[in-house]
Amino acid sequence: MKIIKYSLIMLLGIHFSVLAGRGTSIEMSVDAEMLAKIVIYYKGVDVTSGELNFPLSVDSDTRKFANTSDNFYLVGNVTQAKIIMEDSPFELVSANAGGAIMPLNGYFTMNSVQTNAETERIVPVLRRLNDGNNNNGLKVTFESKDLASNYGAGVYSGKFTLILTPIL
């Protein structure tokens, strides 16, 4: 028993002296995360957290209420994003005609390809606003489903939200 005790003390002493000679060590795990960021530009202005006035007027060709935006550009640190227009169905409510409704169609247009704004679409995200052109800009269109003459007189209004999700 005395020999086992002496051997154990000797082994611990050797182990201790090895650690003491090496010094103390600590392992460091290092990582970094850059969150995705996208800024929405319209007519050269950051409109990411804002609200746009988007009035509809009677189109002389279709005779419907309609408006198509200039290009929107997405600028950020990812290459693509998903977009969809929330608040479907698109309807404007009359402030004057007892709550009458004006149903709308909503569209996204990019590279002359028009898709329903209620359907998710993948769009490019630019590194710099100066890279924006007609091929990578996104247009939004709203138009009434019926001819303008089918709606009662008054002011119709509504709000719709563009949802943007970065693709990592």
Side-chain angles (χ1 to χ4, degrees):
M1 182 77 163
K2 211 175 196 184
I3 295 174
I4 294 174
K5 210 182 217 184
Y6 179 70
S7 299
L8 185 58
I9 290 172
M10 194 166 116
L11 284 173
L12 286 174
I14 292 170
H15 182 69
F16 243 28
S17 62
V18 170
L19 284 178
R22 182 171 171 214
T24 304
S25 66
I26 183 171
E27 200 172 291
M28 295 176 65
S29 176
V30 178
D31 56 12
E33 178 182 15
M34 178 59 181
L35 298 177
K37 180 176 178 174
I38 298 176
V39 177
I40 304 169
Y41 286 94
Y42 185 64
K43 295 183 178 182
V45 177
D46 177 353
V47 295
T48 307
S49 298
E51 187 175 301
L52 291 176
N53 186 21
F54 199 74
L56 304 182
S57 58
V58 179
D59 182 278
S60 60
D61 294 330
T62 65
R63 297 181 306 161
K64 294 180 177 183
F65 286 102
N67 190 3
T68 298
S69 71
D70 290 336
N71 283 317
F72 284 88
Y73 296 104
L74 309 180
V75 178
N77 62 356
V78 295
T79 58
Q80 293 181 317
K82 296 178 194 173
I83 60 164
I84 190 167
M85 194 66 74
E86 195 177 55
D87 309 311
S88 173
F90 304 127
E91 296 177 334
L92 302 181
V93 178
S94 172
N96 312 90
I101 303 251
M102 180 187 297
L104 302 176
N105 293 314
Y107 303 103
F108 294 130
T109 304
M110 180 175 272
N111 290 324
S112 301
V113 177
Q114 191 174 63
T115 58
N116 189 311
E118 298 168 298
T119 304
E120 191 172 77
R121 180 171 184 158
I122 295 176
V123 295
V125 177
L126 310 174
R127 284 290 189 197
R128 298 181 324 252
L129 180 57
N130 292 341
D131 295 336
N133 58 50
N134 284 332
N135 295 324
N136 55 28
L138 175 77
K139 292 184 178 185
V140 176
T141 300
F142 282 107
E143 71 174 6
S144 60
K145 288 189 176 184
D146 295 319
L147 297 176
S149 59
N150 291 347
Y151 301 103
V155 175
Y156 293 78
S157 63
K159 289 187 180 187
F160 311 107
T161 305
L162 178 77
I163 301 297
L164 182 67
T165 307
I167 298 175
L168 302 178

